[in-house]
Amino acid sequence: MITQTPPLPPVDTLLVVDVQSAFVTGDGAVPDAARLVDRTAGLIARARAAGALVVHLQNDGPPGAEDEPHTPGWELHHPVRPGPAEVVLRKPHDDGFRDTGLGDLLAGHGTRAVAVCGVMSEMCVQATARTALARGYRVVVPHDAHATQDCPAVPGVADAVPAAVVSRVAAYALGSDAEVAAPAAAVSFVPAAPAAGPVRGSAT
């Protein structure tokens, strides 16, 4: 007997983490960057069509880094449609909530559930998803919509770890409260409802 997986409940907010030129194009791109870009583009398109909140997080790297502000590598890869339901937030740390307006933004939009995608799986994606969980949001991390680099070998200690394995472990390390097994294609969206009072995740 074949059993069907129940549909994934929709989310009302999409967090697109650090999908910047340095990480998805050229020599510094994550492995299989074309797949990541395809999946994140699809998520963005469906979120827009549904009227969900789309937040592009843009990392500000230190001087000389590939994502140093206002360098070509720092630029967002996906075009942005600025408006009440689509914004760009620059961030100075891995965690997209730390020293940014993300907490207030989600609270103001009445966010209840977020999908998190982008790079790097074990750094900014995981850190942002972990804080979202701590703030009481339902968190979905589609397994094919986040990526990272290979973990290099340490001679005499450990072999190199392929990027896909690093990404999978990073997602599962979020624990059982995060939804990490679904593909991007299974994620659907609904509009976020502006908050009329205190909501989950409203702490800053």
Side-chain angles (χ1 to χ4, degrees), residues 10-15 53 97 102 106 111-117 128-129 132-133 137-142 179 187 189:
V11 301
D12 52 41
T13 297
L14 175 65
L15 304 182
L53 175 64
F97 288 88
L102 182 58
L106 300 191
T111 293
R112 290 292 186 269
V114 300
V116 185
C117 63
T128 301
L133 285 169
Y137 294 112
R138 175 175 158 245
V139 176
V140 179
V141 185
E179 299 169 42
V187 180
F189 296 89

Side-chain angles (χ1 to χ4, degrees), residues 35-36 116-119 121 125 141-148 167-168 170-171:
R35 182 266 304 166
L36 175 70
V116 185
C117 63
V119 296
S121 300
V125 170
V141 185
H143 69 77
D144 55 351
H146 61 96
T148 191
S167 289
R168 187 171 179 85

Side-chain angles (χ1 to χ4, degrees), residues 40-127:
T40 51
L43 288 166
I44 292 168
R46 296 201 303 279
R48 285 172 175 161
L53 175 64
V54 179
V55 183
H56 300 265
L57 293 170
Q58 184 175 26
N59 196 66
D60 287 348
E66 57 192 352
D67 58 348
E68 177 183 353
H70 309 297
T71 63
W74 174 78
E75 299 294 337
L76 294 173
H77 180 77
H78 294 300
V80 178
R81 298 180 185 174
E86 185 161 351
V87 300
V88 177
L89 288 180
R90 293 171 60 177
K91 65 181 185 63
H93 308 288
D94 285 1
D95 182 356
F97 288 88
R98 183 180 172 192
D99 296 331
T100 73
L102 182 58
D104 287 339
L105 179 67
L106 300 191
H109 278 79
T111 293
R112 290 292 186 269
V114 300
V116 185
C117 63
V119 296
M120 300 291 179
S121 300
E122 78 282 20
M123 293 186 279
C124 299
V125 170
Q126 188 193 76

